[in-house]
């Protein structure tokens, strides 16, 4: 079966409840899901660099590994606020990480002397740079160099949508291109699978200008899939 028409519940990570939530939002076959382009992209290719912190790069996206030097509760008791001070391993850099409403168990993931990775945007805090509500990961967590950010679908989180799209991309070879191979070759069109991969999982070698075009929906990949849709609509049914 063409991936565009594959029932959404036949993808990995999509149980009956998730399928019902997706169907209620108009996402029925896998093609509907892959048509939902990322809202934006996080370029993390140069984010693992404490120089961004030392140089006070306000607004910079960082994904640095640090050693927990101090943790303390902050704010009202019912908010479970947590402040964590990270030190640059083997260096002089320091970074305050603030969770205004920390989920249960978060403090245990940042033990004193432990190493963690934090991903977030540098902001001006109380006299110094801070990260507010960043992602807290293990120090060896693998991050995509360019990370797509999806919108939630109903109560399904962006992370869940990303996992389901990953499952769909594993089967992208099953995407039936309505553009005949002879036409694609004559027009020097890239395969549909390449266009889908470029939109949903940009390569680490993607130039900044192309990443901006992906963000705006004007990239070659968007144009390729747009041509595919127009061609499919123009071909009369047998």
């Amino acid at each position: 079966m063409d991936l565009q028409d594959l029932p959404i519940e036949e993808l990995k990570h999509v149980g009956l409840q998730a399928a019902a939530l997706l169907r209620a939002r108009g996402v029925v076959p896998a093609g509907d899901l892959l048509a939902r382009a990322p809202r934006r992209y996080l370029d993390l290719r140069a984010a693992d660099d404490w120089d961004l912190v030392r140089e006070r790069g306000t607004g910079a996206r960082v994904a640095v590994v640090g050693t927990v030097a101090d943790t303390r509760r902050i704010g009202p008791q019912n908010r479970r606020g947590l402040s964590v001070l990270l030190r640059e391993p083997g260096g002089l850099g320091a970074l305050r990480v603030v969770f205004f409403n920390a989920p249960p168990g978060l403090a245990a993931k940042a033990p004193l002397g432990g190493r963690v990775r934090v991903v977030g945007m540098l902001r001006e805090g109380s006299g110094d740079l801070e990260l507010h509500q960043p992602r807290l990961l293990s120090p060896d967590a693998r991050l995509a160099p360019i990370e797509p950010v999806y919108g939630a679908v109903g109560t399904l989180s962006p992370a869940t949508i990303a996992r389901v799209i990953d499952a769909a991309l594993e089967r992208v070879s099953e995407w039936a291109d309505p553009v005949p191979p002879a036409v694609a070759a004559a027009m020097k069109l890239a395969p549909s699978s390449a266009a889908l991969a470029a939109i949903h999982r940009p390569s680490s070698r993607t130039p900044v200008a192309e990443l901006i075009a992906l963000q705006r929906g004007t990239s070659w990949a968007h144009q390729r899939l747009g041509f595919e849709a127009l061609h499919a609509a123009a071909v009369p049914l047998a």
Side-chain angles (χ1 to χ4, degrees):
M1 178 181 290
D2 180 0
L3 180 61
Q4 296 188 50
D5 301 321
L6 185 75
I8 197 74
E9 55 266 27
E10 293 191 23
L11 292 174
K12 289 192 302 184
H13 309 302
V14 181
L16 293 178
Q17 182 178 6
L21 289 169
L22 287 167
R23 285 178 173 275
R25 296 284 176 155
V27 181
V28 180
D32 290 343
L33 187 67
L34 289 175
R36 303 175 77 93
R39 286 186 170 180
R40 57 193 175 94
Y41 300 88
L42 302 182
D43 191 344
L44 301 177
R45 287 176 288 189
D48 190 6
D49 189 349
W50 272 87
D51 282 344
L52 295 171
V53 180
R54 287 191 293 270
E55 295 169 3
R56 302 189 61 79
T58 304
R61 181 78 54 178
V62 298
V64 295
V65 173
T67 301
V68 179
D70 178 64
T71 60
R72 63 187 64 181
R73 294 290 181 182
I74 58 173
Q77 184 65 29
N78 62 342
R79 291 293 299 276
R80 301 191 306 273
L82 182 69
S83 175
V84 179
L85 180 64
L86 296 182
R87 296 285 185 190
E88 179 185 6
L92 301 177
L95 179 61
R96 176 71 62 180
V97 179
V98 180
F99 299 90
F100 298 105
N101 193 10
L106 183 67
K109 296 179 181 179
L112 196 62
R115 296 172 71 244
V116 296
R117 181 181 293 280
V118 287
V119 183
M121 183 179 292
L122 293 173
R123 304 173 181 271
E124 286 290 347
S126 303
D128 214 336
L129 292 182
E130 296 180 347
L131 289 184
H132 295 170
Q133 299 295 139
R135 279 184 288 164
L136 182 67
L137 307 170
S138 66
D140 55 351
R142 298 181 61 184
L143 297 172
I146 299 174
E147 189 171 290
V149 178
Y150 297 94
V153 178
T155 57
L156 295 178
S157 70
T160 297
I161 299 302
R163 285 196 298 271
V164 177
I165 286 178
D166 275 338
L169 290 175
E170 289 177 7
R171 303 180 61 166
V172 75
S173 62
E174 301 171 34
W175 184 277
D177 190 340
V179 180
V183 174
M187 299 186 66
K188 298 182 180 180
L189 298 177
S192 290
S193 56
L196 288 166
I199 290 172
H200 290 286
R201 296 296 177 268
S203 163
S204 61
R205 299 183 298 276
T206 301
V208 172
E210 186 174 328
L211 192 60
I212 293 172
L214 285 168
Q215 178 76 54
R216 293 174 175 172
T218 59
S219 72
W220 69 266
H222 289 86
Q223 294 173 23
R224 170 63 178 86
L225 294 179
F227 178 84
E228 177 178 319
L230 288 173
H231 187 277
V235 174
L237 296 176

